[in-house]
Amino acid sequence: AQTVTQSQPEMSVQEAETVTLSCTYDTSESDYYLFWYKQPPSRQMILVIRQEAYKQQNATENRFSVNFQKAAKSFSLKISDSQLGDAAMYFCAYRSANFGNEKLTFGTGTRLTIIP
Amino acid sequence: DTAVSQTPKYLVTQMGNDKSIKCEQNLGHDTMYWYKQDSKKFLKIMFSYNNKELIINETVPNRFSPKSPDKAHLNLHINSLELGDSAVYFCASSQVGGYNSPLHFGNGTRLTVT
């Protein structure tokens, strides 16, 4: 079974600074997908960024980028120019590429606080 | 134009009661899920349906029974509610294929059992 670990329960960053959230995972599969979801206090689950395991190029979405290290099974999220609206719980998630096992397995989350 | 909608948003009930949560998606997806988020914010899969067929059933008590009348709907019925069932329940949907179809979540139903 796959597991996802987020070792930072809480992080804080000054507004306009850069912060990196860590995520590691364990799997024996070679093909899979990785995601970062954001959950603000409104409790919506919002997709932030996604990465295919077979792509070496790191995904970027505006101020959000990932550092994907397949051999190390690491998938960190970098948020540049942090804004107050970035304050939320951030969840790293793994998804198998095998049909019938396409559930998302989540990490325990990192609560990000933005300091004005 | 809500993509994945759940009702109700809040549900307060007493131990021993039976309750249902409804979920509908208008994205044309073929797979739907139920997730449970506990008080520590941990999200865990409960069930997954693909085209009305159950494909994932994690170790969930028999008191929980999902029902999918069609691929756009996935309801969750809970019998004999217990205090430990208090949580936020999320419905989600996706299309088989992974990357190009991440899970889209509803806004969750906060269930409180007293």
Side-chain angles (χ1 to χ4, degrees):
Chain A
Q2 297 83 23
T3 58
V4 178
T5 301
Q6 293 180 249
S7 59
Q8 306 154 315
E10 296 184 352
M11 292 280 285
S12 60
V13 63
Q14 294 275 1
E15 196 175 359
E17 296 294 308
T18 295
V19 64
T20 298
L21 308 184
S22 301
C23 174
T24 58
Y25 57 94
D26 189 26
T27 184
S28 58
E29 298 178 329
S30 58
D31 196 14
Y32 49 87
Y33 310 95
L34 296 165
F35 303 87
W36 279 96
Y37 278 84
K38 164 185 177 180
Q39 187 179 39
S42 66
R43 84 167 180 240
Q44 277 183 284
M45 292 292 291
I46 301 166
L47 177 66
V48 174
I49 199 165
R50 49 189 158 175
Q51 175 85 37
E52 290 172 311
Y54 66 83
K55 285 191 175 178
Q56 292 190 338
Q57 186 173 6
N58 289 323
T60 61
E61 288 285 344
N62 301 313
R63 298 183 294 107
F64 299 87
S65 61
V66 298
N67 184 1
F68 173 49
Q69 303 287 329
K70 191 172 184 179
K73 294 180 182 172
S74 170
F75 183 60
S76 60
L77 174 70
K78 185 169 90 170
I79 306 174
S80 303
D81 185 25
S82 298
Q83 300 176 0
L84 294 177
D86 295 333
M89 284 288 289
Y90 285 81
F91 293 96
C92 178
Y94 172 102
R95 189 178 187 191
S96 171
N98 295 325
F99 176 74
N101 196 26
E102 292 189 305
K103 63 184 180 184
L104 277 179
T105 299
F106 286 92
T108 49
T110 297
R111 184 179 300 280
L112 178 64
T113 301
I114 310 297
I115 303 165
Chain B
D1 60 346
T2 305
V4 181
S5 60
Q6 294 179 230
T7 53
K9 286 186 179 179
Y10 300 94
L11 189 50
V12 180
T13 188
Q14 292 185 324
M15 283 176 57
N17 285 347
D18 303 339
K19 290 293 179 186
S20 293
I21 306 172
K22 296 187 175 182
C23 179
E24 176 181 3
Q25 56 97 1
N26 63 4
L27 295 166
H29 290 163
D30 59 7
T31 305
M32 296 185 73
Y33 310 79
W34 279 110
Y35 276 82
K36 179 180 180 180
Q37 186 172 41
D38 64 22
S39 58
K40 296 185 178 179
K41 301 291 189 184
F42 185 60
L43 280 149
K44 187 170 167 53
I45 181 79
M46 299 174 70
F47 302 103
S48 171
Y49 271 74
N50 178 263
N51 282 319
K52 303 192 297 176
E53 278 196 44
L54 182 66
I55 56 171
I56 294 175
N57 183 354
E58 296 288 301
T59 49
V60 178
N62 291 338
R63 300 181 295 103
F64 290 79
S65 53
K67 293 253 184 331
S68 182
D70 56 59
K71 71 176 191 178
H73 295 84
L74 180 62
N75 303 321
L76 183 66
H77 188 75
I78 315 170
N79 289 326
S80 303
L81 278 155
E82 300 177 357
L83 292 177
D85 298 331
S86 294
V88 179
Y89 292 85
F90 284 96
C91 176
S93 72
S94 72
Q95 190 70 17
V96 168
Y99 179 81
N100 287 323
S101 181
L103 269 64
H104 294 252
F105 286 83
N107 288 338
T109 296
R110 180 177 294 280
L111 172 65
T112 303
V113 183
T114 61

